[in-house]
Amino acid sequence: MKNIKFKDLKRKYQLLLNEAEKAASKAYAPYSRFQVGAALLTQKGLIIGGANVENASYGLCICAERAALINANTQGERRFKALAMIARGGADGKKIISPCGACRQMLFEFSENSGIDLEILMSNFNKSKIVIAKISELLPLAYGPNDLGIKI
Ligand code: THU
């Protein structure tokens, strides 16, 4: 896990974070007013975004990271190098946003299947604080398809 400045990110990661920011502007978050954007970088170099979608039945809210994964899957993409995320609103906009537990589990599924330890870029709202970590660091001792003896 490391802190990194936006200017020191590789170009593709800068683009990825900018796409996550664009996705955040598409969030449907009338309840929390917390607009989250995520963007996945596929192994082929495509960038696919997602934003959170809330519901009056609060438990049905879908996070930005999972929205991005579902969007990517629909485009036939399941092999990812990195995911960037950023949020606007919330208690402290100066803090970075990191994936919730459910999203870590969903991200791990595809990470394990592809054999790529996904890099997660977590930014605060104005990109003045960015942390990069691997999914294996965010979800240690993860449970996944291999535990079922399933090779996908
Ligand atoms: N949210 C995300 O989109 N990603 C996360 O990792 C944390 C939470 C969304 C879900 C909900 O719409 C709002 O943020 C408040 O929890």
Side-chain angles (χ1 to χ4, degrees):
M1 200 165 322
K2 64 174 182 194
N3 289 284
I4 187 161
K5 292 201 183 327
F6 186 82
K7 68 170 175 57
D8 297 326
L9 284 174
K10 47 186 165 191
R11 184 78 190 118
K12 200 75 190 177
Y13 280 6
Q14 290 182 345
L15 291 173
L16 192 65
L17 190 49
N18 290 344
E19 282 305 313
E21 190 176 27
K22 266 194 218 159
S25 71
K26 300 282 189 291
Y28 173 70
Y31 305 103
S32 71
R33 305 254 165 225
F34 193 49
Q35 297 180 294
V36 188
L40 282 162
L41 177 64
T42 72
Q43 207 181 30
K44 292 182 204 156
L46 291 173
I47 291 180
I48 301 170
N52 55 329
V53 178
E54 299 188 341
N55 191 276
S57 176
Y58 289 2
L60 299 181
C61 293
I62 297 170
C63 294
E65 305 92 299
R66 276 178 286 162
L69 280 174
I70 286 158
N71 195 3
N73 183 63
T74 311
Q75 295 184 37
E77 299 295 335
R78 293 199 198 109
R79 295 173 70 83
F80 312 112
K81 283 203 258 189
L83 173 127
M85 60 188 301
I86 190 162
R88 198 179 308 134
D92 181 3
K94 291 184 204 120
K95 258 186 72 185
I96 61 156
I97 167 96
S98 75
C100 79
C103 289
R104 291 178 197 208
Q105 182 68 31
M106 286 280 291
L107 290 164
F108 179 74
E109 174 89 11
F110 295 104
S111 176
E112 184 168 85
N113 285 345
S114 62
I116 307 164
D117 199 3
L118 193 68
E119 279 203 296
I120 316 280
L121 278 84
M122 298 161 283
S123 179
N124 68 346
F125 81 106
N126 68 359
K127 302 177 201 158
S128 63
K129 262 186 225 157
I130 300 168
V131 174
I132 300 192
K134 301 270 185 176
I135 188 68
S136 60
E137 294 175 276
L138 296 184
L139 195 67
L141 299 175
Y143 170 78
N146 289 354
D147 292 300
L148 294 172
I150 295 173
K151 273 262 159 272
I152 297 161

